[in-house]
Amino acid sequence: MLFDKCILKVRFGDCSCLSLSCISCTTTFSSLPTPLLTFEWICISAFTWNRPLGSSPTMSQMESRDSEPTQPAPVSAACPSCCRGEEGEASRPPCTCRRPGSQLLAAPAPDCGECPVHRGQPGWYCLTEGRAVCAPCAIPGPCSKHLGASIGEAAGRMRNKLVDDCEKLQLRLASVERFTDGTLNKKRRSVKADASSAREQVIQRLNFIREMCDNEEQRLLEVIHDEEERVQQSILTQNTYWMESQQKLADIKNYLVDIVTKMDDTVLVKHQKEIFERAEEAEGILEPEDSNKLNFNLACVHSHLLSNLWASAAMICIPVAENLHIDEKTLHSSLTLSESKKRLSFVRKKVHLYPDCPERFEHWPNALGLESFQRGICTWRVDVENSCAYKVGLAYSCLPRKGTGHESRLGYNSSSWVFSRYDEEYTVAHDGQLKTLDLLRRPKLIGVLVDYDGGEILFYDADACAIIHSYRTKLSSPVHAAFAVADNCITIVQ
């Protein structure tokens, strides 16, 4: 609704929820009329703003309460019913609430700039929209249904809030000052002390490790030298002995040949005792046999310190084989494989999801890895937390797949090495030789470390980086990761 541009201008917002009544003609407008009504002045008592009962005070209610005049307030005299008849001519007298020279009462307000719509000074503050509005905007303008207050009251509230904020900021400044002067200075001093202590500890421990490694290196080199000297001396002794034996056997052979070819019968019979004694000397020289004394003993270089340091470094530093997958062609019929080919699950009822082939295990619930290893150092880890019956290890590709005997059972032949669990019993097995282990904790992640060239196989607890068991053997052909599960599932972990 537009007011006379010479006095004030205001446009109603959504007027669908309002009803306006002119006190002169008692005409009620329930919605915005068309064309727009034009008024010269706003008379608060000339209009009724219908609102639901129990609603909070709004702009119009506050304005009506605060601006009740001691004298009649101005009112509009330009509604269509007052100004025009049915033929469009003025048939009703103008509203009598307007008095010449009277002004609309408004609370004094600071200069906040003119209203861009009505060009008036804002005297009210809309709490809903958070902005200053003029009286025509507040009543009966777009902010008439909003919660509001006078500019003075809003400014007072704002000042109180700013005072509270200043007090909070003062407390925060004091807290920051205490933190910077006290805590940070203490931290700065403690950081220097802690860093110095940490450096000393690292240097001390590394020096200790170096010293132990140097001592162990010297000891092992001496052991290796002594073992080499022993073997060389054994070889030299054996060589001397067998050279003498060879010469002795050659002399006896020549002697007997001469007797047979050059001595006549009478002399032969006469010296038969002497001839047989020489022949018995040759029989006393036994057949030469190979002996472990002639071999270098690799066990002499075994060192708990060296083995644990090497294993720890390998377990921590060597990356896990990421391209390790389970070969579905080797799956027993009671096993299923995930799409990633890394999770092996046991099912009590045999399923035939895969076609039969020579590589498939027939009796034991086994499976082999798809990739093979034949050089360097490799490691893989298996999550066994969900299973109470499993085997994890490695096997040659020549491991038999058919039959119910031990030849195709992991750990019961010379072609496989495994760590296994059944209920609360943990064992390692190779070539039918089982060793029960007493573990302090139940491993959830089993690691297998294979040093193909060095001939060492390690089973370790990957969470604790602790060696469970190790085998020293010379690997002669490519090996595959080996698995067996008879409860729930196990998963290769990248």
Side-chain angles (χ1 to χ4, degrees), residues 21 25 138 194 347 404 494:
S21 299
C25 60
D194 292 344
V347 291
T404 60
Q494 292 186 357

Side-chain angles (χ1 to χ4, degrees), residues 205-221:
R205 290 188 176 184
L206 288 177
N207 287 336
F208 175 78
I209 293 174
R210 290 190 189 98
E211 183 180 357
M212 294 297 101
C213 290
D214 291 341
N215 295 338
E216 189 69 4
E217 178 185 6
Q218 185 65 29
R219 185 188 72 82
L220 292 176
L221 291 178

Side-chain angles (χ1 to χ4, degrees), residues 377-451:
I377 301 174
C378 57
T379 180
W380 59 92
R381 299 173 184 177
V382 184
D383 184 357
V384 296
E385 183 178 5
N386 297 324
S387 179
C388 294
Y390 61 83
K391 291 182 180 180
V392 175
L394 66 152
Y396 289 131
S397 57
C398 62
L399 179 69
R401 316 298 170 87
K402 309 300 180 182
T404 60
H406 289 341
E407 63 275 2
S408 60
R409 189 178 183 183
L410 293 178
Y412 286 81
N413 48 68
S414 60
S415 300
S416 58
W417 298 258
V418 292
F419 169 84
S420 63
R421 175 191 177 185
Y422 185 76
D423 286 340
E424 296 302 323
E425 183 180 4
Y426 298 91
T427 59
V428 288
H430 168 64
D431 201 13
Q433 299 179 2
L434 279 67
K435 181 180 180 180
T436 303
L437 304 175
D438 294 328
L439 302 182
L440 298 178
R441 49 172 284 171
R442 184 181 70 181
K444 299 179 181 179
L445 194 63
I446 298 297
V448 182
L449 178 64
V450 181
D451 183 2

Side-chain angles (χ1 to χ4, degrees), residues 101-384:
S102 62
Q103 299 293 332
L104 182 65
L105 297 178
D111 186 8
C112 299
E114 292 185 349
C115 174
V117 179
H118 307 101
R119 304 300 180 185
Q121 293 294 331
W124 296 90
Y125 187 80
C126 179
L127 298 176
T128 303
E129 296 186 1
R131 65 185 180 92
V133 296
C134 64
C137 287
I139 303 171
C143 295
S144 60
K145 280 193 172 183
H146 297 170
L147 298 178
S150 66
I151 286 291
E153 184 180 355
R157 292 181 181 178
M158 185 174 295
R159 286 190 180 93
N160 293 335
K161 185 178 184 302
L162 291 177
V163 170
D164 294 339
D165 292 342
C166 288
E167 292 177 352
K168 293 179 181 178
L169 290 176
Q170 183 63 30
L171 295 175
R172 188 172 299 176
L173 285 173
S175 176
V176 170
E177 184 177 359
R178 288 194 303 270
F179 181 78
T180 54
D181 295 342
T183 305
L184 290 183
N185 288 334
K186 291 180 181 178
K187 291 292 183 181
R188 190 177 296 109
R189 292 190 296 268
S190 65
V191 163
K192 292 182 179 179
D194 292 344
S196 177
S197 176
R199 291 189 191 95
E200 292 179 0
Q201 184 183 44
V202 169
I203 294 174
Q204 181 182 4
R205 290 188 176 184
L206 288 177
N207 287 336
F208 175 78
I209 293 174
R210 290 190 189 98
E211 183 180 357
M212 294 297 101
C213 290
D214 291 341
N215 295 338
E216 189 69 4
E217 178 185 6
Q218 185 65 29
R219 185 188 72 82
L220 292 176
L221 291 178
E222 291 177 0
V223 170
I224 293 172
H225 176 74
D226 294 342
E227 179 65 13
E228 182 182 13
E229 288 293 328
R230 183 195 65 78
V231 176
Q232 292 290 357
Q233 186 63 36
S234 297
I235 292 175
L236 180 60
T237 302
Q238 290 285 324
N239 185 67
T240 301
Y241 172 79
W242 289 111
M243 289 294 293
E244 293 176 356
S245 299
Q246 183 181 8
Q247 184 62 40
K248 189 174 183 179
L249 290 174
D251 293 342
I252 294 174
K253 186 194 73 170
N254 293 333
Y255 171 75
L256 296 177
V257 169
D258 290 341
I259 289 177
V260 171
T261 57
K262 297 180 180 179
M263 190 175 292
D264 56 16
D265 296 342
T266 303
V267 177
L268 180 62
V269 173
K270 184 178 179 180
H271 295 86
Q272 64 177 347
K273 183 178 180 181
E274 179 182 353
I275 295 172
F276 286 133
E277 287 178 356
R278 293 295 301 275
E280 287 178 358
E281 291 181 8
E283 292 179 358
I285 301 175
L286 302 178
E287 289 288 334
E289 294 181 358
D290 193 5
S291 172
N292 288 331
K293 294 181 179 181
L294 302 178
N295 299 328
F296 185 87
N297 183 17
L298 294 175
C300 71
V301 298
H302 178 69
S303 166
H304 290 290
L305 176 61
L306 180 59
S307 297
N308 283 279
L309 285 177
W310 174 84
S312 298
M315 286 184 289
I316 296 172
C317 300
I318 296 178
V320 178
E322 297 182 357
N323 59 343
L324 182 62
H325 303 84
I326 299 174
D327 187 2
E328 64 179 21
K329 292 182 179 180
T330 65
L331 290 184
H332 184 259
S333 56
S334 62
L335 302 178
T336 60
L337 191 61
S338 64
E339 293 182 1
S340 62
K341 297 185 178 180
K342 292 182 178 293
R343 178 178 298 171
L344 194 63
S345 303
F346 174 78
V347 291
R348 296 190 178 279
K349 185 177 181 180
K350 292 185 178 182
V351 294
H352 299 280
L353 301 177
Y354 311 100
D356 192 18
C357 58
E359 295 87 354
R360 192 173 309 284
F361 284 95
E362 182 182 40
H363 181 73
W364 302 103
N366 301 340
L368 296 182
L370 182 61
E371 296 78 15
S372 62
F373 306 95
Q374 55 184 349
R375 66 174 62 88
I377 301 174
C378 57
T379 180
W380 59 92
R381 299 173 184 177
V382 184
D383 184 357
V384 296

